[in-house]
Amino acid sequence: MNARLATLVLRRIGAALCSLLFVVVAIFVLTAALPGDVADMLLGQNATPDATQALRHALHLDQPLWLRFVHWCGGMLQGNAGNSLLTGRPVSEMLAPRLYNSLLLAGATTLVAVPLALVLGLACATWRHTVFDRVMTVLTLGIVSVPAFLIATVSVFVFAVQFRVVPALSDIRSIHSVGQFFLTFAMPVATLASITMAQMIRMIRACMIDVFSAPYMEMAVIKGVPPIRIMLHHALPNAIGPVANAIALSLSSLLGGVVVIETIFNYPGLAQLMVDSVMSRDVPIIQACTLLFCMTYLFLTTLADIVALASVPKGRGA
Amino acid sequence: MRGGRAPYGTTGALGRRQALRLAGAGLVAATLPARAGRACAQDAQPRRGGHLNFAGLAASTADTLDPARFALATDYIRGHMFYDGLVMLDADMMPRPALAERIESDDLQTWHITLRRGVTFHDGAALDAADVVYSLARHKDPAVGSQQRVIAQEMADIKAVGPLEVRVTLHGPNADFPSMLGIVSFSIVRDGTTDFSRTNGTGPFICTEFTPGVRTSGRRNPNFWRGPAPWLDSVDMIGISDDMSRHNALLSNDVDIIASVNPRLVRLLRARGFGVMESPVGTYTDLAIRLDEGPGRSQDFVTGMKYLFNREQVRDSVFLGFARLGNDQPIPPEHRYFAADLPQRSFDPDRARFYLQRSGMMEAGVPLVCSPAALASVDIAVVLQYAAQQVGMSLPIRRMPADGYWTEYWMKTPMGFGNTNPRPSLDMTFALNFASGAPWNESHWRDPRFDQLLLAARSQRDEGARRQIYHDMQVMIHDGAGICLPAFTTSLDAFNPRVRGLAPSQAGQLMGYDFLSHVWLADAPGGAA
């Protein structure tokens, strides 16, 4: 890796950190703008003005916003994300098991979705405008246009209620063997993978077709290079940049953007925690979750950019 | 028994008639809690053992083990799982002794509570007076954030007067004090408890896992004072907020009981062999018209709106028949104090038009504020809007998000919907929702005579006289207050046929939230107990 590439990468990471800071401040301001605070939410319908005020004072919510933000930043710099306003437990303690669950689901989905999407995307591009391509196009467009909750609910109804082959809820405590792991994750992973794969296949197909239309590809065909070699040696290396970006964009939503799936399968992940915390105005948790989602997103897109940069011969300095 | 005090009753099973007579002045322990006996009587001999999965309506990080913060039905169920109160409410909402053996008073203002002997917490410590004093007094501390702080403030002084005796002095006489102690939030915790990430109660189950927003698990408490219950060896409780997923979980046998069945799915569940229990709880969704501002200042407008409610239509098309008609007062028809002779107000477009025209508000376009937060209020608003069109009045609907509804909109708009759960006694319903200074007086209705009657009922020992007072108060609300109450909802909860021992209760969803200590499984491994 040469100095030029290193500078590019460092600049890219710097930009990512700036976005992170912006998001954190924005979230703090936005949560403050929401109607009500955690004291209102805790007392709910049973609130009286004096009780709410007293509770607010006990939770230090009567401090000005900037002071709370400074306290929070100070804590974060020391690696302390604070305590949940609702439960009083440390944020890290509440986040850790949820993060584990979310990573498990996202990891399993990635393992299924990425190789399949790559193979199918390449196949579509190779045999473009054939019956196979048309069928795949209709399928992927169909899946992209159907909302996730419908796919999930219908598949639960068919496979869990009617045929009873998989459980309707994904209870990870019930996993004691590899078989049980597959049964428990079958439905949520299948649903999530089908949605992310559909997007990826479409994008990979488009990237590849773009590359196939280049003059040097025509040259290769005329030269008599076998199709599989054209695909792997001539087309794919030139499409890595856009393909990596397409995959990163599809995967980045797997951690925080799967509320619907988590709700339907009653899977305790980060997205559900985030929604709960917004509902109860538990700002420290909202902040920590946002930070995590934002970091994941930036990590994946930055990684894709670096892969893209590294894959360009000019960038490699070759 | 103490000398000279409250010569009511003897130990032995309390019949209902006798209990009614006692309600005003005190409670005496029954050897067998009436409800437990009744609930199981429908089925064969209960069997011991087995594991039950239950799915409630909600789970979030707001789930708590702190009784003071109990807010939702799932919290109340969790409370009954791990804790006990001094008093429990039976299927007819009558207070029965639980951890208290006796609750007595001479003047209805100073109450002597004698605790049951030999009750132990899950950690083995014996229940004593200090636990009770701590558990009750903490609700008054604002930093605790108790849901019941307003109610708890009625207790002026709480003092231990013996190892198993507590004296509570109220600010004024209140014959319904024992009922108040039946609120799950007043469950008894160990003296000095501040960490509620785990439980130490006296209840039927011992907590084995509690993860807010995910799961609550318990195993049978072998030393439960109300033995031989509970019958189940262990229990898992989760919350599935998505309607379809909750029903699917029951249909696929992933869970055995679900709360809050969608009325549209009752027939399907029954056709597939699942049971659906209908509990006549007194929860109601009402339209509150503020009498102190906007169109509600005109009595004609309020009367016109009350005639505009098509209650049968609300019951049949909004609740699909799973509701009882309301009569613009908060006491449901099955309650023992229900004013049955009060004529049912019915849909009358002609009268509605007459009163609304006289009020001059036909063209005012006052919005109806509704929200998914107030159960079924959006649908009820549509029914009302349609009726308004029939009499030539425009009634715009403003649908607000559930998030923040109670703090931002409820009781703050001239005309908006609210949702109220039944309280353990009529006194509490009237004092908290209808008296002049009441914190949740939705229509801002003020009537000094009503306040006087409320005080009179509190110090009234005579059952007949109390009945008469409560009757008159219902009439006053029906005529005077600005609330339109179309229907009382019925709680629908579904169960796998292997679950036995469930029985409907007025005290709330799923046997007053206390089903886990009553149910047993037909295929339990332990055999008949």
Side-chain angles (χ1 to χ4, degrees), chain B residues 13-25:
Chain B
L14 286 182
R16 173 147 185 240
R17 184 166 289 274
Q18 193 182 5
L20 283 173
R21 193 158 53 77
L22 291 179

Side-chain angles (χ1 to χ4, degrees), chain A residues 261-304:
Chain A
I261 300 296
E262 288 184 6
T263 306
I264 289 178
F265 295 103
N266 204 48
Y267 188 86
L270 272 183
Q272 196 61 52
L273 180 67
M274 171 86 169
V275 172
D276 283 356
S277 309
V278 172
M279 295 297 276
S280 55
R281 310 286 187 265
D282 197 344
V283 180
I285 306 249
I286 304 178
Q287 286 287 351
C289 285
T290 320
L291 209 61
L292 258 173
F293 297 157
C294 192
M295 272 160 55
T296 319
Y297 190 82
L298 290 171
F299 171 76
L300 283 171
T301 47
T302 312
L303 192 70

Side-chain angles (χ1 to χ4, degrees), chain B residues 215-417:
Chain B
R215 178 186 314 278
T216 308
S217 309
R219 65 178 165 84
R220 199 171 78 84
N221 174 8
N223 303 318
F224 187 45
W225 60 272
R226 193 150 50 86
W231 308 103
L232 301 164
D233 278 343
S234 54
V235 173
D236 259 357
M237 175 173 146
I238 56 174
I240 310 178
S241 51
D242 182 60
D243 237 22
M244 239 11 260
S245 302
R246 198 168 57 253
H247 292 81
N248 278 341
L250 180 77
L251 288 170
S252 65
N253 293 347
D254 283 40
V255 298
D256 304 299
I257 303 184
I258 59 169
S260 307
V261 167
N262 183 335
R264 283 174 179 74
L265 297 176
V266 167
R267 202 188 294 170
L268 176 133
L269 288 172
R270 285 187 172 147
R272 287 181 172 240
F274 292 88
V276 178
M277 180 168 72
E278 302 173 33
S279 307
V281 297
T283 305
Y284 60 83
T285 297
D286 62 325
L287 176 69
I289 304 169
R290 280 184 63 168
L291 303 178
D292 60 342
E293 65 161 61
R297 277 183 300 203
S298 153
Q299 183 61 44
D300 287 329
F301 180 79
V302 178
T303 312
M305 288 302 289
K306 286 180 177 174
Y307 279 119
L308 207 54
F309 258 95
N310 190 339
R311 294 172 178 76
E312 279 87 2
Q313 197 182 358
V314 169
R315 181 191 60 192
D316 298 336
S317 58
V318 175
F319 294 106
L320 300 184
F322 296 107
R324 290 93 68 215
L325 285 191
N327 198 13
D328 298 338
Q329 57 83 16
I331 311 307
E334 54 285 323
H335 197 282
R336 60 185 184 279
Y337 288 132
F338 174 66
D341 61 338
L342 188 60
Q344 171 70 46
R345 192 171 277 138
S346 54
F347 177 51
D348 192 334
D350 294 329
R351 276 198 210 182
R353 188 183 295 114
F354 169 76
Y355 282 111
L356 288 169
Q357 262 167 356
R358 206 164 71 173
S359 75
M361 297 287 171
M362 286 290 262
E363 308 299 326
V366 196
L368 270 178
V369 178
C370 59
S371 162
L375 180 79
S377 67
V378 181
D379 295 337
I380 297 174
V382 173
V383 170
L384 193 60
Q385 187 184 42
Y386 179 69
Q389 276 168 3
Q390 287 182 310
V391 304
M393 183 171 72
S394 75
L395 205 54
I397 293 178
R398 277 178 68 199
R399 184 184 191 272
M400 298 303 168
D403 189 20
Y405 182 73
W406 301 118
T407 43
E408 301 297 315
Y409 299 101
W410 185 52
M411 305 208 311
K412 294 193 171 137
T413 55
M415 198 156 70
F417 282 91

Side-chain angles (χ1 to χ4, degrees), chain A residues 120-128 133 204-206 208-209 212 231:
Chain A
L120 289 174
L122 292 179
C124 282
T126 312
W127 295 301
R128 56 193 173 279
D133 183 37
I204 291 171
R205 179 181 176 275
M208 292 303 289
I209 287 178
F212 276 132
M231 167 70 75

Side-chain angles (χ1 to χ4, degrees), chain A residues 42 45-46 162 164 173 266, chain B residues 147 236 239 251 272 419:
Chain A
L42 263 180
Q45 213 180 340
N46 284 337
Q162 296 297 338
R164 304 249 165 122
R173 281 192 333 166
N266 204 48
Chain B
Q147 291 272 334
D236 259 357
L251 288 170
R272 287 181 172 240
N419 179 250

